[in-house]
Amino acid sequence: MPGTEPQPSFLGRISIRRNQVSAMDVNHDPELEELELFQKHVADRFTDLLSPQEEVASTETLLSISWLRKLVDVFLCCEAEFKAVLIMGRDPSQICKPPLDRLIPELLDRAVKALDICNAVSSGIDSVRQYQKFAEIAVSALEQKPMDDGQVKRARKALNSLLTAMKVDDKEKDFKGAERTWSFGRRGNTNPFHKERAARYFRSLSMIIAKNWSASKQIQAMSSNLVPPRGGEPTGLALPVYVMSSVMVFVMWALVAALPCQERSGLATHFPIPRQLTWAHSMIGLQERIGEEWKKKEKKGSVGLLEEMQRMEKLALNLIEFADGFQFPGETEKMEEVAAQVAELAEIFRKMGEGLVPLQAQIREVFHRIVRSRTEVLEVLDHAAKISQPTT
């Protein structure tokens, strides 16, 4: 991934902000206000994800490409505001005191795991873009007028390749299926060179992911030590750390559920979020809806819950059934029904063409943002450690 542009001194910005806060009215508690405002903004953003405004609800179906793009935007907004709450205008030594001396390292470790998920999700988007190409071949064949046996056979082959590709989970044991998928257009080709090339192509989609890596285990590791603050901590910095950790885990969990990722068994298991926290209501609602959908699809070996993929799979099955029984010139009523399904499939891959590349760019931005923020927090910790050392 390309490097980001150099930023002004982060510690310098902290110093400026600290001076600004110090100059404020001493009777005003900006820290408490910032904490409350941060939680309110998180609540508002997730409420909008759960129940979008009426005018956009139809285009932002849960787990559609447009909804995922909005989800990633929510993460980026929450992350930026959290960093301001945690660091800006604050004595660096504060984040080295208990319980932050434990919570901050846990958050940074969680961030490293999130980077792995970003890579896996980006690879999954590459896979979806390949599904899109198969759908485009089928649409091109079925839009031909008049539709003859040759065009129907061509469409059927592309649709079969599409369904086969959607069942490949990027594991070495599944490369046999991948070879069949990517041999489209080479009927009866048994050349070992072509088979190896097809296997290498699929392997390249997940080259950055270790063979034994598991998306579900990564999510479980991120949430294993995710517990709400106790005692008097809910009014301190421990609470925003918990809020941001919950946001991070939820967003990564939703992305893994939606897009093809390696080894996702048991993903429907929820990580617990206390219902009494006002910002958590919508997040819990989304958890429950996505979890129920995952339980249904996991039984069928679904490649993911992306709304466009689900519709594409259903249409592909219907069109294959049509192709199996097609006899030229075809019944007028049936041909009209097929034309409507082909038009819907064309609309789906058009939306994919418009949305997948920007979504992948947003995932890259999340990757770079996490790297940059983690570096900045480590810089503050290092600075705090230096100023706490006794002078000789």
Side-chain angles (χ1 to χ4, degrees):
M1 293 184 178
T4 55
E5 295 182 3
Q7 301 291 318
S9 169
F10 190 64
L11 290 175
R13 298 201 304 274
I14 295 175
S15 178
I16 293 171
R17 174 65 174 147
R18 188 188 306 123
N19 293 336
Q20 291 172 339
V21 172
S22 299
M24 298 177 70
D25 187 344
V26 293
N27 294 321
H28 183 60
D29 190 347
E31 178 177 322
L32 184 58
E33 182 178 318
E34 280 185 334
L35 295 179
E36 291 176 348
L37 197 59
F38 173 57
Q39 292 180 79
K40 181 182 184 302
H41 288 167
V42 171
D44 290 345
R45 288 164 186 148
F46 277 89
T47 296
D48 195 27
L49 283 171
L50 180 62
S51 304
Q53 298 177 8
E54 186 175 342
E55 59 269 23
V56 298
S58 60
T59 61
E60 290 184 356
T61 306
L62 182 70
L63 296 174
S64 64
I65 294 173
S66 60
W67 188 88
L68 290 178
R69 292 188 62 192
K70 188 172 181 177
L71 174 71
V72 175
D73 278 338
V74 163
F75 173 83
L76 292 170
C77 291
C78 291
E79 197 275 342
E81 190 171 356
F82 164 72
K83 192 167 61 175
V85 169
L86 181 69
I87 298 176
M88 303 300 280
R90 195 174 302 284
D91 183 346
S93 65
Q94 282 186 279
I95 66 174
C96 295
K97 298 176 181 177
L100 294 181
D101 60 339
R102 172 180 56 83
L103 297 177
I104 296 298
E106 289 177 355
L107 176 65
L108 297 180
D109 180 67
R110 208 170 279 123
V112 172
K113 291 179 171 62
L115 295 179
D116 287 340
I117 292 176
C118 286
N119 279 332
V121 168
S122 182
S123 176
I125 293 174
D126 283 335
S127 296
V128 178
R129 290 169 70 183
Q130 298 304 321
Y131 310 157
Q132 175 196 351
K133 292 179 180 178
F134 286 126
E136 189 171 5
I137 293 170
V139 168
S140 175
L142 294 175
E143 283 181 336
Q144 298 296 318
K145 305 295 182 185
M147 189 188 301
D148 58 26
D149 289 336
Q151 298 297 341
V152 172
K153 287 180 180 178
R154 181 168 178 260
R156 188 185 188 287
K157 192 169 186 180
L159 293 169
N160 275 326
S161 295
L162 167 63
L163 294 177
T164 302
M166 291 177 78
K167 296 186 185 304
V168 173
D169 64 356
D170 288 338
K171 285 187 177 181
E172 191 72 28
K173 67 182 178 63
D174 287 312
F175 283 151
K176 197 170 187 179
E179 290 163 15
R180 289 196 300 272
T181 297
W182 287 99
S183 65
F184 176 77
R186 300 193 204 66
R187 183 192 298 252
N189 192 338
T190 58
N191 188 323
F193 170 76
H194 291 301
K195 287 189 174 183
E196 175 60 23
R197 184 171 63 180
R200 281 202 310 269
Y201 186 88
F202 261 74
R203 195 177 296 118
S204 71
L205 294 180
S206 58
M207 202 65 170
I208 52 177
I209 306 298
K211 292 178 183 178
N212 61 348
W213 188 85
S214 164
S216 60
K217 288 181 180 178
Q218 194 82 334
I219 296 292
Q220 290 167 12
M222 290 179 70
S223 60
S224 62
N225 56 1
L226 184 59
V227 293
R230 292 173 288 183
E233 285 304 327
T235 57
L237 285 177
L239 182 57
V241 171
Y242 174 71
V243 174
M244 189 62 224
S245 293
S246 299
V247 170
M248 182 183 293
V249 174
F250 174 83
V251 170
M252 296 300 153
W253 175 79
L255 288 171
V256 167
L259 294 158
C261 278
Q262 183 170 302
E263 213 290 294
R264 297 179 296 178
S265 58
L267 192 66
T269 304
H270 296 174
F271 55 95
I273 302 175
R275 290 183 176 272
Q276 67 269 24
L277 300 173
T278 55
W279 56 267
H281 292 170
S282 296
M283 189 182 294
I284 292 171
L286 287 167
Q287 262 192 334
E288 291 173 347
R289 288 176 59 183
I290 296 171
E292 286 304 312
E293 286 300 310
W294 180 258
K295 286 176 183 177
K296 296 176 188 175
K297 301 299 181 183
E298 188 176 29
K299 293 177 182 179
K300 302 177 183 179
S302 173
V303 73
L305 298 180
L306 185 69
E307 195 261 347
E308 286 83 359
M309 282 198 306
Q310 298 302 315
R311 289 170 57 200
M312 182 180 286
E313 182 179 26
K314 183 178 179 180
L315 287 167
L317 290 169
N318 290 340
L319 291 171
I320 286 174
E321 183 179 356
F322 156 76
D324 287 341
F326 176 78
Q327 289 184 342
F328 183 82
E331 300 176 10
T332 302
E333 184 178 344
K334 187 65 176 177
M335 297 302 288
E336 290 175 354
E337 180 184 340
V338 167
Q341 292 177 344
V342 170
E344 184 179 354
L345 187 58
E347 177 65 13
I348 291 172
F349 79 68
R350 183 190 65 79
K351 286 183 178 180
M352 286 183 166
E354 292 176 352
L356 287 175
V357 172
L359 175 60
Q360 197 168 41
Q362 285 176 291
I363 299 298
R364 291 193 190 101
E365 172 59 24
V366 168
F367 184 97
H368 290 304
R369 179 76 69 83
I370 291 174
V371 170
R372 186 162 60 244
S373 295
R374 187 175 183 277
T375 300
E376 291 170 350
V377 172
L378 287 172
E379 182 183 355
V380 173
L381 291 173
D382 184 59
H383 179 68
K386 288 179 180 178
I387 62 177
S388 64
Q389 292 177 353
T391 56
T392 56

